[in-house]
């Protein structure tokens, strides 16, 4: 008889304790705001994932049903690459090919990501780890809902803790919003160093978007140069 994930976690002393992940407070407007910003907090299990090692994390993700995306996936896609990487790239969520193969960024967008990595002297798996904001494929490749990213956040959070990357690159809006726990517009947020806890975060366009938008490819190139420069500085610190 197999135990449910909750039972397993309880056996391991890791039963979820729900806490509120507070969103950054919006700047006060000139009008008195009487409503507390509780609408933008999300519930995440604090200790359910907090102590998991890689094998436990992979097992938890593969049997996860914390959101509706768990219902239609073929398999959850945890991530791929060097678990001691300086670079962590975070995408949106698996597509059809990723869902079939169990590896992130293996379709068209993945080819472009590989080229982007090559452009700054990087290679999948070598000092690079690739993950997604949600681990299960959204039906019809729709954008993950904020609640789905929030439900999946503890897994990415634990991946970051285990990898301890020097730099995190958010590919597109859902990844940026999950990492920065705020509304993000890529055009406004690129070219700056943001932070998730102590980890520097750079935001750029998603490769699937770049496949459709020639204009922004030159901006993506600027972002790649900015990333490489930032990493050099971080490595020299
Ligand atoms: Fe669980 Fe994340 Fe899959 Fe939702 S997307 S079922 S939270 S692993
Ligand atoms: N797009 C993503 O955001 N992630 C993948 O893994 C594949 C395509």
């Amino acid at each position: 008889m197999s135990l449910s994930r909750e039972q397993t976690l309880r056996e391991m002393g890791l039963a979820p304790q729900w806490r509120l992940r507070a969103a950054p407070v919006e700047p006060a407007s000139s009008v008195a705001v009487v409503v507390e910003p509780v609408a933008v907090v999300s519930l995440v299990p604090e200790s359910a994932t907090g102590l998991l090692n890689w094998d436990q994390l992979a097992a938890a993700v593969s049997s996860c049903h914390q959101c509706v995306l768990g219902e239609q996936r073929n398999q959850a896609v945890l991530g791929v690459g060097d678990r001691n990487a300086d670079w962590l790239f975070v995408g949106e969520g698996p597509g059809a090919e990723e869902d079939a193969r169990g590896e992130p960024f293996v379709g068209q967008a993945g080819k472009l990501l590989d080229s982007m990595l090559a452009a700054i002297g990087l290679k999948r798996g070598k000092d690079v780890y690739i993950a997604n904001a949600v681990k299960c494929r959204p039906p019809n490749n729709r954008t993950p809902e904020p609640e789905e990213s929030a439900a999946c956040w503890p897994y990415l959070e634990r991946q970051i803790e285990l990898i301890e990357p020097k730099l995190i690159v958010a590919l597109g809006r859902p990844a940026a919003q999950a990492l920065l726990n705020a509304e993000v517009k890529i055009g406004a947020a690129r070219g700056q160093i943001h932070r998730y806890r102590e980890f520097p975060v750079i935001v750029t366009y998603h490769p699937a978007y770049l496949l459709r938008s020639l204009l922004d490819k030159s901006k993506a190139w600027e972002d790649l140069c900015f990333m490489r420069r930032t990493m050099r500085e971080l490595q020299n610190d």
Side-chain angles (χ1 to χ4, degrees), residues 12-227:
M12 292 159 63
L14 300 173
Q17 290 169 8
W18 298 90
R19 79 179 152 90
L20 294 175
R21 185 183 178 212
V25 178
E26 297 285 325
S29 71
S30 54
V31 189
V33 176
V34 283
V35 184
E36 291 286 309
V38 285
V40 283
V41 299
S42 58
L43 287 168
V44 295
E46 182 164 42
S47 61
T49 50
L51 296 171
L52 301 185
N53 65 26
W54 278 107
D55 287 346
Q56 292 164 332
L57 190 59
V61 164
S62 69
S63 62
C64 180
H65 286 279
Q66 294 282 346
C67 81
V68 295
L69 300 183
E71 285 161 26
Q72 289 186 44
R73 65 163 181 239
N74 281 309
Q75 56 186 319
V77 180
L78 178 63
V80 70
D82 179 348
R83 291 172 175 180
N84 296 309
D86 281 352
W87 295 88
L88 170 61
F89 288 81
V90 181
E92 187 171 313
E97 290 179 70
E98 290 76 19
D99 175 73
R101 286 179 48 189
E103 183 173 335
F105 283 102
V106 289
Q108 276 299 109
K111 291 204 181 87
L112 182 54
L113 178 60
D114 285 336
S115 311
M116 289 164 69
L117 295 178
I120 51 172
L122 297 175
K123 212 173 152 187
R124 178 180 292 252
K126 194 161 168 278
D127 203 21
V128 173
Y129 192 93
I130 303 172
N132 279 310
V134 295
K135 311 307 188 198
C136 305
R137 181 192 180 199
N140 305 314
N141 298 340
R142 66 164 169 77
T143 304
E145 298 293 339
E147 311 84 74
E148 293 157 356
S149 294
C152 213
W153 166 252
Y155 300 124
L156 182 57
E157 181 181 40
R158 184 62 186 148
Q159 286 176 298
I160 295 168
E161 280 172 3
L162 288 166
I163 297 167
E164 295 191 300
K166 278 207 158 63
L167 179 60
I168 303 174
V169 178
L171 301 165
R173 197 156 184 242
Q177 297 193 148
L179 285 158
L180 303 178
N181 196 27
E183 282 275 330
V184 175
K185 293 220 163 48
I186 300 297
R190 53 185 285 275
Q192 302 165 40
I193 300 175
H194 306 267
R195 267 180 212 274
Y196 159 64
R197 286 180 15 198
E198 71 271 34
F199 300 97
V201 176
I202 289 177
V203 165
T204 188
Y205 299 100
H206 190 282
Y209 167 77
L210 292 175
L211 289 170
R212 302 189 298 267
S213 160
L214 268 184
L215 192 68
D216 284 326
K217 273 192 186 152
S218 64
K219 293 190 191 155
W221 172 246
E222 286 171 19
D223 293 348
L224 286 166
C225 296
F226 177 56
M227 282 170 214

